[in-house]
Amino acid sequence: MRRTRILTAALALAAGLLAGTPPALAADGAPPTTTLAAESYSWKNARIDGGGFVPGIVFNRKEKDLAYARTDIGGAYRWQQNSKTWTPLLDSVGWANWGHTGVVSLASDSVDPDKVYAAVGTYTNSWDPGNGAVMRSADRGASWLKADLPFKLGGNMPGRGMGERLAVDPNRNSVLYLGAPSGKGLWRSTDSGVTWSQVANFPNVGNYVQDPSDTSGYSSDNQGIVWVTFDESTGNSGNATKTIYVGVADTANAVYRSTDAGATWSRVAGQPTGQLAHKGVLDTVNGQLYIAYSDKGGPYDGGKGRLYRYATATGTWTDISPVAEADTYYGFSGLTLDRQRPGTVMATAYSSWWPDTQIFRSTDSGGTWTKAWDYSSYPTRQNRYTMDVSSSPWLTWGANPSPPEQSPKLGWMTESLEIDPFDSNRMMYGTGATVYGTENLTQWDSGGQFTIKPMVQGLEETAVLDLASPPSGAPLLSALGDIGGFRHTDLAKVPSMMFSSPNFTTTTSLDFAEAVPNTVVRTGNLDSGPHVAFSTDNGANWFAGTDPSGVSGGGTVAAAADGSRFVWSPAGAGVHHTTGFGTSWSASSGIPAGAIVESDRVDAKTFYGFKSGKFYVSSDGGATFTASPATGLPSGDSVRFKALPGAKGDIWLAGGASDGAYGLWHSTDGGASFTKLSNVEQADTIGFGKAAPGASYQTLYTSAQIAGVRGIFRSTDKGATWTRINDDAHQWGWTGDAITGDPRVYGRVYVSTNGRGVIYGDTSDPGGGGGGGGTDPTPTGACAVTYTITNQWSGGFQADVKLANTGTSAWSGWSLNWAFANGQTVSQLWNAEHTQSGATVTARNIGWNGNVAAGSSVSFGFTGDWSGTNAKPAAFKLGDQSCAVN
């Protein structure tokens, strides 16, 4: 449940990330009045590896090593076998459609493996202002087309671990089915996902809701139709599969079937009642439909469960549960079959929180079962597995629990579990924090121990609530939903442990003392215990402070410039201040509860606050605040502001809403007055970084709308001009919580996302400037090209091209030529324009990336088609100049 700014988490171990829900989005802005420049940036994640709930893993049934993962708010990913990493597929989702980063279901086409589909939408209630959609790709997610739906989908709603709700007919792949929530029924496409219509005669839209009394609509939504499974043996290539099974969120009528390709439907006779069918997986070799049941929709709840096997030929139902129902305190899910060994089936006790999740395995179609772990003598456990989390050491949570708990845990919220259909030894499963897997699973059956490791690199799923980049020490500190946050000493490596002592479930705010960066404070949410912590070694080690009376959540916190005092605006209590490290707090006066607080970065006694359109200033260390006479500021509380390091009283404020004041404001008199920047239409974050070479003012960064374009922007001239530094392929949905530049590296920016982790970008233009480039009219001088095939599949491939200016003069435009030796053709190219005549391809700059400084480079990518051989081009020319080939 990722809803920090709307609800307080109710579950101690809920590891589906908590994050802010964006405000209602503005309509398109006025026609452009500002000329935008842009330049080439490279974008990466500050590695954390995982960090959120992975409710679905899907292997393609036709092509080996082709697999996908879906997340509840962080998009979808494709597995890269050569590097054993995940590639994000939905980074192109923009601000206006931020809800489409929630993936409720995913389907990989077993007829044409190049095709993949994703049903997207985050919430079915008012938190997501947009409807859902079905995204379709013919190049494995490298690019997408979208079919909008007339209803919402809930990738982050209760029941999101059931499924898959989206399925492709394995015999006639132009036919797809989608199970909808909210009473919207069963939907079908007959044109490969281009158009959709409701299956009018499907008899049951579902009726199960988690909590009918929930007035927000989150827990009270009908979970609807939850899975679709085809019996591929009842069709042949080119003809629609006749028998289709559908799972419905209805404890009395959970499973329906059609035997005439969806023309008519009926409830399957003799089925068990009283529980929900989370998964339905069909073994066509033995004619058995396996179903995992739970009394609740999950992924957090579930107190009873059963496993059943249905014989499709005779209609016989058999209870194959591995334990008696009276002995369950969990529901079943995570259902999978070994396609190489018919009769081998596995399932998870997904809602077994304590002492651990459980995984069950049968090699005789559910006749007998073994467990991943059992008691040798309570509380001593005997495990059939070993765990190696050295690649993600924070997965231990720094815990040292008493038996029968262990650290790291086998998992929780384990609703996705899949055996590779081509390899009986490989299994992957998702938890509330990561993807685990093994490559020697069959050791289970021979009495040995199989090894479980994280298989999650590249899949970054944290929700980021605050960021700080101190002038010394670690380059980045992060405040995250559910896993607290990290001190990032090396952006390319996974930190060893999240912030601890205490471990906040969610860190809501953090700050450091500008003049003493080793002094750091953070605040956050914790079910029991303090909500504030301090560090005197740049966040490496922490100690807890003491809460004022009434505190219920982290709120925001600010450190004095010299680290001598702190101001805290927690949830549940008014604004407070302290000297020292929070052993006692005093109430501040003159400022309302719930205000956002920040510190001046020069004057240790000056603090600032904002609440409901009013700006507040304290000059006595936060003891008393006075309302500023400034007017025209946003009336709501969707605001972020910061004071500039090195200049007393220099404040930048971003925020607002489409129905009122919205934009970016600047004050140079300590908040007594603010000037709104006329060239920024909307802004939601503001941050500072190292000044550009030759510039006297620090670089500004913002997530904003400028000249009608939404993006991440940079200014090196105090906001007079702006450069868009991201592009349409790198948007990451919602980026409105935090942004900061790096005070030590010019051009580096850290961007918060709501489910794609911490993104950081580095510029290819070390010289800075609004337009970022040289003025030479033609590209001259030396050049070098790096051509990399990043992915290849039957008939298709993806490549990246890096063109480096190795000469001494800047380019003000470029045109790169090469010839394919094996008849390859470019199907889609991004970050450049292109033409192809026969084997010869010409790629030209687009407006924003034509300027390439000496010593810099520009990159573009493309997908293409090939057959037989896919050799790399041997030569490249920049105009008439031959380039070195790396």
Side-chain angles (χ1 to χ4, degrees):
M1 299 185 303
R2 302 189 169 105
R3 299 167 284 152
T4 295
R5 290 191 312 184
I6 296 178
L7 298 177
T8 300
L11 295 167
L13 296 176
L17 292 175
L18 294 158
T21 298
L25 299 170
D28 290 340
T33 57
T34 302
T35 300
L36 296 181
E39 68 182 56
S40 178
Y41 253 69
S42 63
W43 297 100
K44 299 178 181 178
N45 274 101
R47 276 189 68 188
I48 295 168
D49 287 12
F53 182 36
V54 180
I57 298 170
V58 175
F59 280 90
N60 186 274
R61 294 275 299 279
K62 182 178 181 180
E63 182 176 318
K64 182 177 173 59
D65 295 328
L66 179 57
Y68 298 88
R70 63 177 172 94
T71 70
D72 48 7
I73 65 171
Y77 292 80
R78 184 182 64 245
W79 178 251
Q80 299 290 130
Q81 177 61 24
N82 57 348
S83 58
K84 295 188 177 180
T85 62
W86 296 94
T87 295
L89 302 178
L90 292 179
D91 284 358
S92 60
V93 172
W95 179 275
N97 295 308
W98 64 264
H100 291 173
T101 59
V103 184
V104 72
S105 192
L106 191 146
S108 179
D109 191 334
S110 60
V111 177
D112 182 354
D114 288 344
K115 293 182 177 180
V116 61
Y117 301 85
V120 297
T122 301
Y123 299 106
T124 61
N125 63 351
S126 62
W127 301 344
D128 189 337
N131 281 338
V134 176
M135 311 279 283
R136 63 187 187 277
S137 173
D139 53 15
R140 304 171 186 234
S143 61
W144 297 89
L145 296 172
K146 182 176 66 174
D148 291 314
L149 297 170
F151 52 85
K152 297 183 178 185
L153 292 175
N156 198 33
M157 295 291 289
R160 59 191 180 273
M162 295 192 280
E164 292 290 320
R165 301 169 188 254
L166 181 65
V168 183
D169 190 320
N171 290 300
R172 187 176 180 86
N173 65 332
S174 59
V175 175
L176 293 90
Y177 283 85
L178 171 66
S182 312
K184 301 302 181 181
L186 183 66
W187 288 67
R188 178 169 51 211
S189 172
T190 58
D191 54 10
S192 299
V194 177
T195 61
W196 292 83
S197 59
Q198 187 172 359
V199 180
N201 63 343
F202 191 80
N204 191 346
V205 299
N207 59 23
Y208 175 80
V209 300
Q210 184 187 70
D211 180 5
S213 66
D214 177 17
T215 58
S216 74
Y218 180 80
S219 297
S220 56
D221 187 49
N222 176 2
Q223 294 184 17
I225 295 176
V226 296
W227 53 264
V228 178
T229 297
F230 290 91
D231 184 346
E232 61 203 68
S233 68
T234 63
N236 50 60
S237 179
N239 295 309
T241 300
K242 292 182 179 180
T243 300
I244 312 164
Y245 294 91
V246 173
V248 178
D250 178 346
T251 59
N253 308 282
V255 185
Y256 286 79
R257 178 178 57 191
S258 174
T259 57
D260 52 15
T264 61
W265 302 84
S266 60
R267 178 184 184 275
V268 178
Q271 64 181 273
T273 60
Q275 295 182 352
L276 299 170
H278 272 228
K279 309 272 185 182
V281 180
L282 187 65
D283 174 1
T284 55
V285 174
N286 294 315
Q288 308 281 5
L289 175 67
Y290 294 90
I291 301 179
Y293 286 89
S294 173
D295 61 345
K296 304 291 184 182
Y300 311 109
D301 55 1
K304 292 294 176 184
R306 309 302 292 147
L307 291 176
Y308 272 84
R309 185 182 67 217
Y310 174 72
T312 59
T314 64
T316 302
W317 289 87
T318 303
D319 186 342
I320 58 169
S321 303
V323 296
E325 184 171 14
D327 294 333
T328 63
Y329 52 92
Y330 46 76
F332 289 99
S333 192
L335 186 65
T336 187
L337 303 175
D338 186 342
R339 302 291 177 180
Q340 297 294 312
R341 301 182 177 192
T344 295
V345 58
M346 298 179 70
T348 65
Y350 76 92
S351 53
S352 176
W353 298 83
W354 188 93
D356 210 338
T357 198
Q358 184 61 275
I359 303 176
F360 301 92
R361 179 174 172 91
S362 172
T363 57
D364 57 5
S365 301
T368 59
W369 296 85
T370 51
K371 301 176 182 178
W373 62 270
D374 211 339
Y375 295 111
S376 55
S377 175
Y378 185 87
T380 303
R381 277 170 53 171
Q382 184 174 0
N383 298 334
R384 291 181 182 269
Y385 62 89
T386 61
M387 293 194 77
D388 176 4
V389 298
S390 57
S391 64
S392 300
W394 60 265
L395 285 168
T396 66
W397 257 258
N400 186 26
S402 299
E405 280 193 282
Q406 295 181 351
S407 182
K409 294 173 79 76
L410 185 60
W412 60 92
M413 293 166 60
T414 50
E415 291 220 63
S416 59
L417 176 132
E418 294 294 331
I419 300 173
D420 186 336
F422 294 91
D423 184 355
S424 298
N425 269 310
R426 180 159 67 178
M427 174 189 73
M428 296 182 185
Y429 67 98
T431 77
T434 192
V435 176
Y436 280 124
T438 181
E439 294 181 318
N440 62 339
L441 177 62
T442 58
Q443 290 290 316
W444 181 316
D445 303 324
S446 61
Q449 287 187 310
F450 61 99
T451 301
I452 294 176
K453 296 181 180 182
M455 288 187 176
V456 74
Q457 184 176 343
L459 194 158
E460 297 284 349
E461 205 199 342
T462 48
V464 185
L465 302 183
D466 203 2
L467 294 169
S469 184
S472 61
L476 180 68
L477 305 173
S478 61
L480 307 176
D482 282 2
I483 60 173
F486 293 91
R487 180 176 186 258
H488 303 262
T489 58
D490 186 336
L491 301 175
K493 295 181 180 178
V494 177
S496 60
M497 191 54 56
M498 68 274 287
F499 298 142
S500 60
S501 300
N503 289 58
F504 297 147
T505 52
T506 289
T507 299
T508 58
S509 179
L510 58 82
D511 195 16
F512 61 90
E514 189 67 41
V516 191
N518 278 351
T519 298
V520 188
V521 61
R522 61 184 167 95
T523 57
N525 301 333
L526 193 60
D527 288 340
S528 60
H531 295 79
V532 62
F534 301 90
S535 172
T536 58
D537 57 6
N538 195 241
N541 296 281
W542 296 85
F543 55 92
T546 302
D547 288 2
S549 177
V551 171
S552 61
T556 59
V557 69
D562 64 357
S564 61
R565 64 194 71 226
F566 303 87
V567 172
W568 183 18
S569 178
V575 177
H576 285 69
H577 65 283
T578 186
T579 54
F581 293 109
T583 55
S584 63
W585 296 84
S586 300
S588 302
S589 63
I591 186 170
I596 303 163
V597 295
E598 295 284 356
S599 64
D600 191 87
R601 310 311 281 182
V602 174
D603 187 336
K605 288 191 175 182
T606 298
F607 290 82
Y608 306 107
F610 180 91
K611 175 72 174 176
S612 302
K614 285 288 186 180
F615 196 81
Y616 299 86
V617 182
S618 171
S619 58
D620 58 4
T624 60
F625 282 81
T626 302
S628 161
T631 59
L633 299 177
S635 59
D637 294 320
S638 184
V639 165
R640 283 88 176 163
F641 72 92
K642 291 181 180 179
L644 189 79
K648 180 182 177 180
D650 193 322
I651 303 161
W652 290 83
L653 183 148
S658 58
D659 58 355
Y662 200 173
L664 183 63
W665 287 260
H666 185 207
S667 173
T668 57
D669 56 10
S673 63
F674 283 85
T675 300
K676 188 176 189 295
L677 274 67
S678 61
N679 60 357
V680 178
E681 296 145 19
Q682 302 172 5
D684 292 270
T685 59
I686 185 66
F688 315 113
K690 185 177 182 179
S696 59
Y697 199 83
Q698 293 184 42
T699 303
L700 304 178
Y701 298 93
T702 181
S703 173
Q705 178 178 301
I706 297 175
V709 177
R710 259 285 170 185
I712 307 300
F713 291 87
R714 186 192 73 196
S715 175
T716 60
D717 55 11
K718 209 172 179 177
T721 61
W722 294 92
T723 298
R724 186 190 182 201
I725 57 175
N726 71 321
D727 54 48
D728 288 350
H730 300 89
Q731 300 191 75
W732 315 290
W734 167 249
T735 55
D737 267 318
I739 195 169
T740 185
D742 191 309
R744 290 170 272 184
V745 181
Y746 167 68
R748 177 170 291 176
V749 60
Y750 304 98
V751 180
S752 70
T753 72
N754 188 45
R756 269 286 285 121
V758 180
I759 301 289
Y760 74 96
D762 283 313
T763 178
S764 65
D765 172 24
T775 58
D776 288 356
T778 58
T780 59
C783 53
V785 172
T786 304
Y787 179 100
T788 306
I789 297 174
T790 58
N791 192 22
Q792 183 170 297
W793 57 92
S794 177
F797 70 105
Q798 182 174 330
D800 287 343
V801 180
K802 179 181 179 181
L803 170 61
N805 181 351
T806 57
T808 59
S809 300
W811 302 337
S812 59
W814 51 268
S815 176
L816 185 68
N817 301 276
W818 72 87
F820 284 122
N822 306 117
Q824 300 98 319
T825 58
V826 175
S827 56
Q828 182 176 12
L829 189 144
W830 51 91
N831 292 339
E833 297 176 345
H834 84 285
T835 58
Q836 182 167 359
S837 177
T840 302
V841 179
T842 301
R844 300 179 180 86
N845 68 279
I846 49 183
W848 58 266
N849 65 359
N851 298 317
V852 184
S856 298
S857 62
V858 63
S859 298
F860 58 91
F862 65 89
T863 55
D865 300 320
W866 69 286
S867 61
T869 304
N870 187 22
K872 298 180 180 180
F876 295 84
K877 283 191 173 184
L878 183 72
D880 294 327
Q881 173 73 40
S882 293
C883 298
V885 180
N886 294 327

